[in-house]
Amino acid sequence: MLDFSVPRGEIEFFLNGRPCRARKGDTLAAALWALGVRRFGLSRKKREPRGPFCFIGRCHDCEVSVDGRPRVKACMTEVRPGMRVEIPGEVGDEEALSP
Amino acid sequence: MKKPYPLEDRELVVVGAGPAGMCAAQTAANCGMDVLLLEETAKCGGQLNKQIHKFFGSREHGAGKRGFEIARELEGACRSAGVEIRTKNPVIGGFSDGRLLVRGETGLYLAEPRALIVAAGAQEKPLAFPGWTLPGVMGAGAAQTLMNLYGVLPGKRVVMVGSGNVGLIVSYQLIQAGAGVAVVEIGEEAGGYRVHANRLLALGVPFLFRHEVVGAEGGDSVEAVVLRDLESGRLKRIRADCVCLAVGMSPLVELPLMLGCEMAYRGCLGGWLPQHDREMRTTQPSVWVAGDASGVEEASVAMEEGRLAAASAARDAGRIRGKRAEKLIGEIQARLCELRGGPYNWERRQAKECLGSVTRTA
């Protein structure tokens, strides 16, 4: 019933300048989570780590910068070829991120 | 001067294409109304899309089918009834005169409906404890979205907080997907249906009853959860990379609030909700609510509430009249009453009846 063996990777996008692969139709939040990214952004006041809480566009905790636009909800944004995503600081699992 | 927003003059606008919104749109269109259905996401179905388990209940509410199958059926029924569906069209504002500001794919526009049904759904309740904002702490429904819609595993070692039906079903699906799960429950027994709990028990899933979450620990994401045994007072630390909170949902009330609907608080229905009568009419003229947005219950209830709101709106618009209108509304109300039967739903049925009898519409 659940198929986790689907190959991920028709789409190439960039995370902090590094090329990564995602599956067509994925939201950016799902694509980043699949790559091992857990911390998406930092809270505005205390600069604490934040990651997706709801995955349905309500909590704003998955906001990242997309193609220069700040604070875009990753869970409501479909990943597109060539998309440039910025997350402050070092992110994710280095091994998973290499194409 | 800035150019005014384009205006859409419609007989009925339905906000939200989940089970309630789709049933509302279909019923209204079948009564002859011109219907525009607005959906924020790219796909109709709402939370049905991530329900891969078979539904219980009666055949007319899709028992034996999986949620996403029901979603496709309802969408097809809407299309054949002549509903205009616009996905990726979030409603971002509402005014007390009933107009809506919508973000379309090519820009903002104003919808000016003569009748409006708000079926915006619900959101998961958070649970505040030190570390609850750490990445990896998420709603149980969020985990379900991630794995069932996108095929991505939320975590390898998951602590499920809460053992209602959502907590139990998502736990089972996490295990099917290859994760390890422990269920934490503050009460003495599982809150959801026994059939769901038994499936987990049969798989050897640990249930920590009479335990509460004291905190989540980690650097950039969750690494461990600290629990307190309420009997002994002892603390336990469990290694985990994901904490799922299944502690209930609350209606999404932003739009009814903007529209000026009077609100009521009903804990058993998820908290604050728009006051509404027995036909789902709010205190604002020509605004109805339906589904979880009017109080969190089951998907089958949401479907009937959508139909009820639509029938009421169609009668007000003169699209159905007299005995036919009374019969349609009466039949839906009877089905709702049946769905809310049984001790499990007693409190919610009382709360809904009480709301209906006190609501005075303008």
Side-chain angles (χ1 to χ4, degrees):
Chain A
M1 208 174 347
L2 289 167
D3 185 8
F4 289 87
S5 62
V6 183
R8 311 196 73 85
E10 303 97 316
I11 287 181
E12 187 182 65
F13 72 107
F14 299 91
L15 175 58
N16 289 356
R18 187 201 303 260
C20 310
R21 304 206 77 86
R23 206 169 53 178
K24 198 168 175 292
D26 270 359
T27 62
L28 187 51
L32 290 173
W33 198 275
L35 287 166
V37 177
R38 294 294 174 267
R39 179 176 68 69
F40 281 44
L42 297 168
S43 64
R44 293 188 196 208
K45 280 187 190 165
K46 295 186 179 172
R47 314 301 289 167
E48 289 171 345
R50 289 288 185 272
F53 180 82
C54 76
F55 281 102
I56 55 167
R58 301 258 76 84
C59 73
H60 291 260
D61 274 358
C62 67
E63 288 175 342
V64 294
S65 159
V66 175
D67 295 330
R69 275 179 64 201
R71 300 220 169 256
V72 174
K73 287 190 230 175
C75 75
M76 300 300 285
T77 307
E78 194 178 323
V79 65
R80 300 262 179 219
M83 196 176 244
R84 297 194 166 269
V85 182
E86 302 289 336
I87 291 177
E90 283 297 305
V91 290
D93 174 354
E94 294 291 312
E95 207 176 313
L97 283 180
S98 50
Chain B
M1 207 181 92
K2 226 180 132 200
K3 225 176 110 196
Y5 296 121
L7 204 66
E8 285 268 353
D9 178 18
R10 305 301 288 243
E11 187 175 18
L12 175 70
V13 169
V14 180
V15 178
M22 286 197 288
C23 285
Q26 183 208 350
T27 302
N30 282 339
C31 290
M33 292 184 95
D34 148 56
V35 186
L36 173 63
L37 176 58
L38 297 173
E39 165 59 34
E40 172 181 31
T41 69
K43 201 173 175 185
C44 290
Q47 305 319 309
L48 285 174
N49 289 332
K50 63 190 187 194
Q51 310 300 336
I52 58 169
H53 60 280
K54 288 181 181 169
F55 278 46
F56 296 156
S58 58
R59 186 165 300 163
E60 63 255 44
H61 300 111
K65 289 181 198 151
R66 303 178 194 282
F68 62 88
E69 296 167 339
I70 299 171
R72 295 290 73 76
E73 280 184 14
L74 294 177
E75 185 182 352
C78 278
R79 291 192 193 280
S80 14
V83 174
E84 185 189 340
I85 302 176
R86 289 189 193 162
T87 55
K88 296 187 190 170
N89 270 243
V91 174
I92 60 173
F95 303 93
S96 51
D97 60 5
R99 284 179 309 157
L100 304 171
L101 185 61
V102 189
R103 196 172 69 223
E105 292 200 72
T106 54
L108 297 175
Y109 64 94
L110 276 170
E112 195 167 8
R114 275 161 275 165
L116 170 64
I117 298 176
V118 180
Q123 65 187 349
E124 297 193 272
K125 285 182 183 170
L127 184 68
F129 46 80
W132 76 284
T133 54
L134 270 175
V137 180
M138 64 176 75
Q144 204 183 23
T145 300
L146 196 52
M147 85 182 140
N148 296 357
L149 277 185
Y150 302 110
V152 177
L153 200 57
K156 292 191 180 85
R157 291 175 58 92
V158 182
V159 171
M160 180 65 64
V161 181
S163 67
N165 283 327
V166 172
L168 297 175
I169 291 170
V170 177
S171 291
Y172 186 74
Q173 292 172 352
L174 279 162
I175 290 164
Q176 283 183 303
V181 179
V183 181
V184 177
E185 167 59 52
I186 200 161
E188 280 165 9
E189 55 180 3
Y193 293 140
R194 179 140 299 175
V195 56
H196 295 314
N198 284 347
R199 280 208 292 187
L200 292 174
L201 288 167
L203 289 171
V205 172
F207 276 77
L208 294 117
F209 293 114
R210 301 285 295 143
H211 279 68
E212 66 174 356
V213 182
V214 177
E217 300 173 342
D220 257 5
S221 64
V222 176
E223 289 158 33
V225 184
V226 182
L227 306 172
R228 179 186 288 122
D229 182 334
L230 292 172
E231 302 299 332
S232 66
R234 263 208 304 268
L235 296 179
K236 290 175 191 169
R237 180 174 281 103
I238 300 182
R239 202 159 55 77
D241 58 357
C242 180
V243 181
C244 288
L245 304 179
V247 293
M249 281 174 276
S250 47
L252 281 174
V253 293
E254 294 99 325
L255 187 53
L257 278 172
M258 284 188 272
L259 294 166
C261 299
E262 277 176 35
M263 307 298 283
Y265 189 89
R266 294 290 183 276
C268 63
L269 293 167
W272 287 102
L273 48 91
Q275 183 79 249
H276 56 277
D277 68 8
R278 284 167 200 266
E279 291 183 9
M280 311 309 296
R281 195 194 307 261
T282 69
T283 55
Q284 279 297 76
S286 303
V287 178
W288 285 258
V289 278
D292 281 356
S294 73
V296 177
E297 294 179 87
E298 309 265 329
S300 49
V301 169
M303 294 180 206
E304 294 297 359
E305 285 188 339
R307 292 180 183 122
L308 180 55
S312 179
R315 190 191 52 197
D316 273 25
R319 294 290 192 169
I320 49 170
R321 292 169 200 277
K323 286 231 170 73
R324 185 189 165 202
E326 297 317 311
K327 183 165 176 279
L328 178 60
I329 289 171
E331 281 170 359
I332 304 169
Q333 284 171 330
R335 289 202 296 270
L336 268 171
C337 193
E338 198 179 316
L339 281 171
R340 292 193 180 112
Y344 197 78
N345 297 309
W346 186 84
E347 201 184 356
R348 287 182 281 192
R349 185 170 74 239
Q350 292 290 312
K352 277 279 182 177
E353 280 176 7
C354 170
L355 272 173
S357 56
V358 298
T359 303
R360 264 192 301 273
T361 49

